[in-house]
Amino acid sequence: DLCEMFYKESKAQSGIIVHSDLLLNYLKNKYPNFYFVSSTTKVITDFEEFKSEVDRKEFSYVVPDFRLNKDFENLSRIFVQRMLLVWM
């Protein structure tokens, strides 16, 4: 199986883009060393819901729905909050 091959043989850390929590839970249990990306196919268009997704510890990355791409004010606020957490 492809995941097994990357899990055992890859020298670099591998990641998986996931759409559902059911799949995420399965993969976290079976392949705990992978990193996970929340897929844009979730179609999260509400900014507060997107922010909640960003705050989830399970995801290394969250891909926003294209409708949020131009919400510069809110996106930059999240970025600044993250940078403050890193620096503290």
Side-chain angles (χ1 to χ4, degrees):
D1 129 279
L2 187 60
C3 285
E4 197 68 35
M5 182 184 77
F6 280 109
Y7 192 71
K8 288 181 178 176
E9 297 175 18
S10 179
K11 292 182 171 105
Q13 185 181 18
S14 296
I16 300 174
I17 301 170
V18 294
H19 173 81
S20 75
D21 285 340
L22 181 65
L23 177 60
L24 174 64
N25 292 332
Y26 170 79
L27 292 169
K28 276 184 5 184
N29 288 326
K30 188 151 174 101
Y31 307 105
N33 292 333
F34 280 167
Y35 68 87
F36 300 101
V37 178
S38 176
S39 175
T40 189
T41 61
K42 290 183 178 181
V43 189
I44 299 173
T45 58
D46 176 75
F47 196 83
E48 288 305 313
E49 190 179 344
F50 171 71
K51 187 176 178 308
S52 295
E53 191 80 355
V54 169
D55 290 338
R56 290 180 63 179
K57 302 289 183 218
E58 299 98 325
F59 296 118
S60 298
Y61 304 96
V62 177
V63 182
D65 184 270
F66 72 93
R67 287 168 276 255
L68 296 178
N69 285 349
K70 293 189 178 182
D71 192 350
F72 300 120
E73 184 177 331
N74 283 321
L75 290 169
S76 64
R77 193 166 27 101
I78 288 178
F79 177 75
V80 168
Q81 290 170 347
R82 295 279 178 256
M83 290 295 95
L84 289 174
L85 287 174
V86 169
W87 291 334
M88 294 179 118

